């Protein structure tokens, strides 16, 4: 069992995203600005459901490996290198590893963050 109290690695895992999103919404009510719920952490792969309150942000940071952000509810703006990329429900963005970026949400959002630290070929 992982420190989060449920399996996050294994030969096969499945999730009902609407249920996971409902959990994030509940946890977000008590949070100050954002909440993250790790769904999968298996070797070089990590998938996290992130909820951001209206006006919330993830300050500038970078990941070692490439990432994807898939907005499943609401909208966010990803800022990187002086440019702003608005993302709304249903949009998917890929960002190379090591690229500094920040995420803000004016109205609130939930997104799937996938990170991999696998070596590049």
């Amino acid at each position: 069992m992982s420190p989060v109290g449920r399996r996050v690695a294994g030969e096969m895992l499945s999730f009902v995203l609407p249920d996971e999103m409902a959990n994030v919404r509940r946890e977000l009510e008590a949070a100050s600005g954002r909440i993250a719920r790790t769904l999968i952490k298996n070797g070089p792969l990590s998938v996290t459901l992130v909820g951001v309150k209206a006006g919330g942000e993830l300050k500038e940071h970078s990941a070692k490996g490439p990432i994807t952000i898939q907005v499943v509810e609401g909208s966010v703006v990803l800022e990187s290198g002086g440019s702003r990329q608005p993302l709304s429900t249903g949009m998917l963005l890929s960002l190379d590893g090591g690229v500094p970026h920040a995420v803000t949400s004016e109205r609130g959002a939930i997104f799937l963050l996938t990170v991999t630290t696998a070596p590049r070929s």
Side-chain angles (χ1 to χ4, degrees):
M1 195 70 72
S2 78
V4 295
R6 58 184 158 42
R7 287 185 33 192
V8 295
E11 189 172 311
M12 184 186 312
L13 301 173
S14 73
F15 303 90
V16 178
L17 283 180
D19 293 349
E20 297 298 332
M21 291 167 62
N23 290 333
V24 165
R25 279 188 218 99
R26 274 192 301 277
E27 293 172 15
L28 195 54
E29 288 177 10
S32 60
R34 64 184 166 99
I35 191 80
R37 184 175 181 81
T38 301
L39 301 178
I40 302 166
K41 186 158 181 61
N42 198 351
L45 176 66
S46 174
V47 179
T48 304
L49 195 57
V50 180
V52 182
K53 281 187 170 180
E57 68 177 336
L58 284 79
K59 294 189 184 291
E60 187 172 342
H61 61 284
S62 63
K64 289 183 181 180
I67 71 167
T68 64
I69 295 174
Q70 180 180 3
V71 181
V72 293
E73 182 175 281
S75 62
V76 299
V77 175
L78 183 130
E79 298 182 42
S80 179
S83 68
R84 295 170 45 91
Q85 177 68 51
L87 301 167
S88 57
T89 301
M91 294 181 74
L92 174 69
L93 175 131
S94 173
L95 192 63
D96 205 3
V99 175
H101 59 282
V103 177
T104 58
S105 182
E106 185 177 309
R107 297 184 183 149
I110 298 177
F111 61 90
L112 278 170
L113 171 65
T114 303
V115 180
T116 181
T117 55
R120 301 177 92 176
S121 50

